[in-house]
Amino acid sequence: MPVMKGKELRIVGFLCNWCSYGGADTAGVARAEQPTDLRIVRVPCSGRVDSLFIVKALLNGADGVLVSGCHPRDCHYSAGNFYARRRLEVLKRFLPVLGIDDARFEYTWVSASEGQRWRQVVASFTSRIHALGKAPRLGEDAQALLKAVGTAALPPPPLRTLGTGKNAPLDSLKEAIKEKLPELECVIGWRQGYDAAHTTPLFIRKTEDIDKLVWGPLNVANPAVYLPRFKGGKTGIVVKGCDARSVVELLQENLIAREDVTIFAMPCEGTLDMARVNEKLGRYAVVDGVVRDEAGVVITVDGKEHRFDMAEYAQNKCRGCVNPAAVLADVAVGGAPEIPADAPVPLELGLLDAMSLEERRAFWSSRMKRCLRCYACRNACPMCVCRDHCVSDTRDPHWMTQEADVAQKLFFQTIHALHLAGRCTGCGECQRACPVGIPILALRQQTARAVEELFSGYRPGLDPAAVPPLLGYETEEQNIHEREWK
Ligand code: FES
């Protein structure tokens, strides 16, 4: 392999100190001829390589990234490379979602004595990156490409009939809460918001608060986001099916204790897409009434009636929901709806699936331009539990700059999506909270699908005893195989 003097591309290599860095050294001592594109960053162990190192490099101008560590079972910290293997494999499947060719990233194992193997790995990876050429930058040709993508995707039909909660046994739920309230510090639910067409969280501390509880398709927020704040106290929570999955995931991660939480469950009949509802209502002075019937909701504002049929105005996440009843409950009120076997592909997932890499890059460039970096998506997420220690806020290390460019904004969303890999229960609160309507749930759904494929159908939030796959490993992974270097 000739040295590519004067034609180097930018390739970043993260090498573990104990094996691969030694292997690179062995190749150097043996004067093995190697391409000169690689810039090596020495790390203590491949387990130290955060997926965000790689995404940050690729979003900031690297043409390729290579990670190399000790062979499986040889890690000097026992299991660092086992954890890295799972994380890096998920990343490999996630990069194309952002419009980055996954061939631009690779990970492998090289021991300190394998100078020849190291030479082969570097030569092979460098040739691959040269064949791909310089990495395209975000935003290049975005407008032209977007015309090809189109934006008029229609929501899929609902999987089952979505109701309005009209016949939900709210009185039975209130009775159950009344009975348990003396043992609890608080019960979290929903109440009417600033008007009858909107709801807001309700914290029931006294018996008289119970009458403020409401139920129906306007209960869009996920109350599980408040649960960790009550850690240590006895708390109750009223849940829809998706909220219950978030509670289970919090239990899985020991962020709350099972004995401290009382779960009150009602079977969910779907919730409204409030962004579209608000758009149709427009500016108004007063809500005259909200009436629910079998098909939907009629909201009258300033004397004018607006009809919202659930078949048309339900949130996309509700259309394919297969867990409308809580997977875990202490008090379950009402019967569980029947679920047909085949769930449709969620709208946002299908939208990205239909795009090429170039179109996805253009798609995210145009959508992320609108991002305000308000962090509403993070704050609404029940699984985003770092709060004051979020890496996007830290100055040491300084992960993100204050620049308002597309790369920074997309990097923030990548942080969120990758931190939720194997943890996101798909409640869609991030997307609902976004004030500028960026379809960020698609990033989480794509990651969730990668996790499901890699880890034997694992879905977060279904089993309180299950360990999230990226918090564990297997010495022999069923679906992760080392790639050959030719
Ligand atoms: Fe090399 Fe852990 S020490 S991979």
Side-chain angles (χ1 to χ4, degrees):
M1 180 82 197
V3 177
M4 295 175 180
K5 265 201 189 114
K7 293 186 195 155
E8 286 99 343
L9 293 176
R10 281 178 285 194
I11 304 177
V12 182
F14 293 100
L15 272 55
C16 110
N17 178 52
W18 300 102
C19 283
S20 296
Y21 195 84
D25 209 28
T26 306
V29 169
R31 295 182 177 270
E33 201 174 9
Q34 298 173 55
T36 51
D37 309 54
L38 195 71
R39 304 288 180 271
I40 294 176
V41 180
R42 181 154 54 156
V43 290
C45 169
S46 63
R48 175 66 187 91
V49 181
D50 193 313
S51 303
L52 297 178
F53 293 175
I54 297 145
V55 180
K56 190 170 167 88
L58 290 169
L59 286 179
N60 284 283
D63 300 305
V65 178
L66 177 67
V67 174
S68 187
C70 309
H71 284 278
R73 297 176 199 274
D74 283 351
C75 173
H76 286 50
Y77 303 95
S78 317
N81 50 6
F82 288 137
Y83 287 105
R85 183 167 61 181
R86 286 194 164 193
R87 209 185 300 145
L88 297 176
E89 195 65 34
V90 169
L91 176 70
K92 194 129 174 81
R93 296 185 183 217
F94 178 73
L95 289 175
V97 178
L98 302 178
I100 298 172
D101 192 338
D102 62 343
R104 292 189 180 277
F105 161 62
E106 199 54 86
Y107 68 92
T108 190
W109 321 116
V110 175
S111 79
S113 61
E114 292 179 316
Q116 271 310 312
R117 176 173 160 81
W118 173 252
R119 196 202 71 82
Q120 190 190 5
V121 163
V122 177
S124 165
F125 187 65
T126 308
S127 295
R128 187 202 292 182
I129 300 301
H130 275 265
L132 291 169
K134 244 178 120 34
R137 301 287 166 252
L138 273 173
E140 279 176 5
D141 300 331
Q143 289 315 316
L145 276 166
L146 264 184
K147 279 185 195 137
V149 174
T151 50
L154 288 173
L159 178 63
R160 61 197 157 88
T161 312
L162 298 175
T164 60
K166 191 168 177 265
N167 301 314
L170 185 57
D171 289 340
S172 311
L173 176 67
K174 286 180 179 175
E175 274 308 310
I177 294 175
K178 200 174 192 174
E179 208 173 292
K180 294 268 181 189
L181 192 59
E183 304 156 26
L184 303 170
E185 190 182 315
C186 169
V187 177
I188 314 169
W190 304 264
R191 60 182 290 174
Q192 180 182 312
Y194 54 85
D195 62 31
H198 297 85
T199 61
T200 196
L202 167 67
F203 299 89
I204 303 169
R205 294 175 198 276
K206 299 180 294 231
T207 314
E208 47 273 36
D209 293 337
I210 297 175
D211 282 336
K212 296 175 189 160
L213 189 68
V214 295
W215 180 261
L218 298 168
N219 290 14
V220 288
N222 183 347
V225 71
Y226 301 103
L227 216 41
R229 299 178 199 182
F230 290 90
K231 191 174 183 181
K234 301 277 181 201
T235 316
I237 183 166
V238 186
V239 292
K240 310 185 286 294
C242 51
D243 309 334
R245 292 200 306 274
S246 301
V247 176
V248 169
E249 186 63 29
L250 290 169
L251 289 169
Q252 280 182 253
E253 297 181 27
N254 292 324
L255 292 162
I256 49 172
R258 181 69 187 97
E259 60 275 17
D260 289 344
V261 185
T262 304
I263 305 168
F264 300 91
M266 293 265 270
C268 179
E269 297 173 37
T271 51
L272 284 166
D273 182 339
M274 294 309 291
R276 284 193 291 141
V277 170
N278 289 334
E279 193 182 338
K280 188 170 172 190
L281 290 178
R283 291 172 75 91
Y284 60 85
V286 60
V287 175
D288 303 315
V290 177
V291 180
R292 296 189 303 219
D293 58 30
E294 295 309 319
V297 181
V298 177
I299 302 176
T300 309
V301 295
D302 297 342
K304 190 175 171 205
E305 275 189 6
H306 297 271
R307 171 151 203 98
F308 300 98
D309 282 344
M310 290 301 286
E312 192 185 342
Y313 281 91
Q315 293 200 71
N316 289 335
K317 66 163 187 176
C318 303
R319 294 168 186 278
C321 174
V322 291
N323 298 113
V327 288
L328 184 69
D330 297 297
V331 181
V333 185
E338 268 185 33
I339 307 296
D342 295 325
V345 176
L347 174 72
E348 292 86 354
L349 200 65
L351 189 73
L352 279 180
D353 285 350
M355 292 182 198
S356 66
L357 284 180
E358 291 76 17
E359 287 167 344
R360 287 179 196 170
R361 253 191 333 270
F363 178 77
W364 289 122
S365 295
S366 73
R367 295 303 184 276
M368 286 299 160
K369 249 186 207 155
R370 306 204 296 248
C371 173
L372 308 167
R373 285 177 72 170
C374 66
Y375 300 140
C377 49
R378 177 189 68 183
N379 298 343
C381 173
M383 301 320 304
C384 237
V385 288
C386 302
R387 302 288 164 199
D388 296 343
H389 307 286
C390 176
V391 296
S392 61
D393 289 335
T394 64
R395 291 291 168 267
D396 185 21
H398 199 179
W399 278 93
M400 290 178 59
T401 72
Q402 293 305 304
E403 285 169 75
D405 62 12
V406 168
Q408 292 300 314
K409 293 169 180 178
L410 187 55
F411 185 52
F412 169 70
Q413 288 304 337
T414 305
I415 293 174
H416 200 176
L418 290 175
H419 281 183
L420 289 172
R423 305 174 58 232
C424 173
T425 56
C427 73
E429 282 295 271
C430 49
Q431 184 160 304
R432 188 189 64 78
C434 178
V436 289
I438 304 173
I440 42 182
L441 182 58
L443 294 173
R444 283 84 173 141
Q445 288 172 338
Q446 293 276 352
T447 325
R449 185 169 59 184
V451 167
E452 195 175 337
E453 286 168 2
L454 281 170
F455 305 111
S456 314
Y458 178 84
R459 286 188 183 185
L462 297 182
D463 176 5
V467 178
L470 295 192
L471 298 185
Y473 66 86
E474 296 215 353
T475 47
E476 299 296 335
E477 296 284 1
Q478 265 179 33
N479 299 320
I480 304 178
H481 308 289
E482 192 169 359
R483 284 167 277 276
E484 300 256 314
W485 292 92
K486 298 204 176 90

